[in-house]
Amino acid sequence: MQADESGALLREEIALYLARHGTADICKILEFALQELETAQRHFELGHFVQLRMEARALGRRMGRMGLSRPEAVATALAEVAGERRIVEAAALLERLGRILRFASRTAALMEPPAYL
């Protein structure tokens, strides 16, 4: 049930972003966020926790500016555990953030009107 509520909240936040900023950039921003997540994953795999923390903080700030509270919260938590080198928790949060960002990206793509309108 909580996952459904989180998904509904994220859809609402995306709709609010689209209403305020138009449709031109949300998919590009989320695509860039997924690329940043891949970079964060590589830092994690290499044991570069300082860089992982920096990537997670940047992701959290970007999601916060967009008004996407769930990915912001997970990225902020990731930055915290990366700073403390809590490997198991960092791995779980990376996976969770990836699921959330992919869901957000698919949702935003479905919510955008076709370009020809």
Side-chain angles (χ1 to χ4, degrees), residues 3-82:
D4 290 339
E5 291 172 6
S6 293
L9 176 62
L10 190 54
R11 280 189 291 275
E12 287 177 27
E13 291 174 343
I14 290 169
L16 284 172
Y17 182 89
L18 288 170
R20 285 188 307 239
H21 300 284
T23 60
D25 62 349
I26 191 167
C27 289
K28 290 177 187 173
I29 293 170
L30 289 169
E31 183 181 320
F32 184 70
L34 284 165
Q35 291 171 357
E36 285 182 306
L37 182 67
E38 288 177 19
T39 301
Q41 180 68 40
R42 282 192 298 277
H43 287 309
F44 174 76
E45 291 167 358
L46 295 171
H48 300 161
F49 288 93
V50 172
Q51 291 88 345
L52 172 59
R53 184 176 184 197
M54 290 173 16
E55 287 289 338
R57 279 184 176 167
L59 258 169
R61 284 191 300 270
R62 180 171 290 108
M63 295 298 105
R65 284 192 304 271
M66 291 178 69
L68 304 181
S69 63
R70 194 70 193 143
E72 176 188 17
V74 175
T76 301
L78 176 59
E80 182 179 314
V81 300

Side-chain angles (χ1 to χ4, degrees), residues 74-96:
V74 175
T76 301
L78 176 59
E80 182 179 314
V81 300
E84 298 172 4
R85 295 180 181 264
R86 296 178 1 215
I87 296 168
V88 174
E89 290 173 84
L93 287 168
L94 275 166
E95 182 180 328
R96 188 172 177 191

